[in-house]
Amino acid sequence: MEVVKTVVLLTLMTLLFVWVGGMMGGMQGMMIALILAGVMNFVSYFYSDTLVLRHYNAVPVTRQEARGLYNIVERLSQKAALPLPQIYIIPDSIPNAFATGRNPSHAVVAVTEGLLQLLDDEEVEAVLAHEMSHVRHYDILVGTIAATIAGAIGVIANMMQFGAMFGGDRENRPNPIVMIALAIILPLAAAVIQMAISRNREYMADEGSARLTAHPEWLQSALAKLSNYNAQGMVHEATPESAHMFIINPFSGKDISFASLFSTHPSTEDRIARLEELKFELK
């Protein structure tokens, strides 16, 4: 199922590029769009984890540097029957975490310094179990492709605006009204794509954490703390395209009520309530 989902996303991105290329440049535009889509798919599949880690200045740590963190991740990996992922720490005081990588054999879990300072060991374990659940279900690959699509659609929207204003002579120039309309609609489509993919995956990862640790209350406590803290600030250089990767939306503290309709994360209250229901099942 995860492979099918990834193929669908890759196909959607490719067709979107080809369609826009055809609108803006005929057959030549379609060929250019197809080449760009192919390059983006390749980069997304093999290098997006490196790019996102570099963007957030994440640094790898050794067992000697973070023995407690390593022990937790190693224990969870054994429980989940997964290879031990690489472990990175993000030098940021805002508590948050994410997983990335194209498959479980190339997975990375990253936590901020703020998370390690704010949470106790049980809460850290619950957060890492959440991220390991993402790894187990290939959510990191699906999320990576979703982020690529969102970024691609943002670029397309800019192309539309540019084309509406400066797109060739009057005879060959695309309809500016259509171009401007698409420039508005396409970013909204990107938000819907990420929302649809991410929200259910977060619920599933929360459940995976509860089952892996057998203590839903650990994640409930961690989510409450993380949500309260992120309401006061956000991870440095956080981007909307990568927001879906984090356990807590890094933009949750910003006063953007309309944007909340397109949030990539369920509300913390809903997540905690679902975990409460799991307590009875896991007893």
Side-chain angles (χ1 to χ4, degrees):
M1 179 59 71
E2 301 305 328
V3 173
V4 172
K5 187 181 299 181
T6 302
V7 170
V8 169
L9 286 169
L10 287 168
T11 302
L12 175 62
M13 182 173 66
T14 302
L15 292 177
L16 183 59
F17 262 106
V18 171
W19 175 69
V20 172
M23 282 192 62
M24 298 186 68
M27 183 60 69
Q28 183 179 8
M30 289 179 67
M31 291 304 297
I32 293 173
L34 184 59
I35 292 171
L36 287 174
V39 171
M40 185 170 291
N41 288 346
F42 180 86
V43 172
S44 173
Y45 189 75
F46 288 100
Y47 300 111
S48 58
D49 53 345
T50 302
L51 295 175
V52 73
L53 291 168
R54 185 179 301 167
H55 175 80
Y56 288 107
N57 299 313
V59 293
V61 292
T62 64
R63 186 183 299 274
Q64 289 70 30
E65 294 170 326
R67 188 172 299 277
L69 189 60
Y70 253 88
N71 289 341
I72 292 173
V73 175
E74 193 169 50
R75 182 167 61 251
L76 291 171
S77 297
Q78 291 172 353
K79 284 185 178 180
L82 290 170
L84 183 69
Q86 297 181 65
I87 302 172
Y88 279 67
I89 292 181
I90 302 169
D92 198 299
S93 61
I94 302 298
N96 223 319
F98 66 79
T100 185
R102 63 183 183 270
N103 57 44
S105 297
H106 298 85
V108 174
V109 292
V111 299
T112 65
E113 292 176 344
L115 182 140
L116 297 176
Q117 294 168 1
L118 178 68
L119 305 185
D120 62 31
D121 288 348
E122 292 176 344
E123 292 163 344
V124 170
E125 182 167 346
V127 168
L128 290 171
H130 172 100
E131 300 306 334
M132 294 297 290
S133 294
H134 279 310
V135 172
R136 189 177 191 177
H137 295 110
Y138 287 81
D139 290 343
I140 45 181
L141 174 58
V142 175
T144 295
I145 302 301
T148 301
I149 292 175
I153 291 177
V155 171
I156 291 169
N158 290 332
M159 290 170 59
M160 291 291 189
Q161 291 176 329
F162 185 83
M165 293 183 291
F166 307 108
D169 56 46
R170 289 190 175 182
E171 292 184 1
N172 298 320
R173 186 174 179 176
N175 187 318
I177 297 176
V178 173
M179 301 293 276
I180 292 172
L182 288 173
I184 296 171
I185 292 170
L186 289 175
L188 293 178
V192 170
I193 290 171
Q194 284 195 288
M195 177 185 67
I197 292 170
S198 183
R199 290 173 74 92
N200 283 340
R201 309 314 291 183
E202 287 302 314
Y203 282 132
M204 291 177 64
D206 287 348
E207 180 178 346
S209 172
R211 294 186 182 281
L212 201 55
T213 63
H215 288 281
E217 67 275 11
W218 293 358
L219 186 58
Q220 285 179 308
S221 177
L223 289 174
K225 287 184 180 180
L226 293 173
S227 182
N228 289 336
Y229 206 104
N230 276 266
Q232 304 170 31
M234 66 179 185
V235 174
H236 183 60
E237 294 187 353
T239 64
E241 291 78 16
S242 62
H244 70 282
M245 298 174 62
F246 288 90
I247 187 169
I248 291 289
N249 188 338
F251 295 95
S252 58
K254 296 182 75 66
D255 186 17
I256 43 176
S257 56
F258 175 76
S260 66
L261 296 174
F262 298 93
S263 175
T264 57
H265 291 64
S267 71
T268 301
E269 292 76 13
D270 286 345
R271 295 170 71 179
I272 290 175
R274 289 204 179 195
L275 288 166
E276 187 67 28
E277 295 173 2
L278 270 176
K279 286 182 180 179
F280 300 99
E281 183 180 336
L282 296 176
K283 280 185 177 180

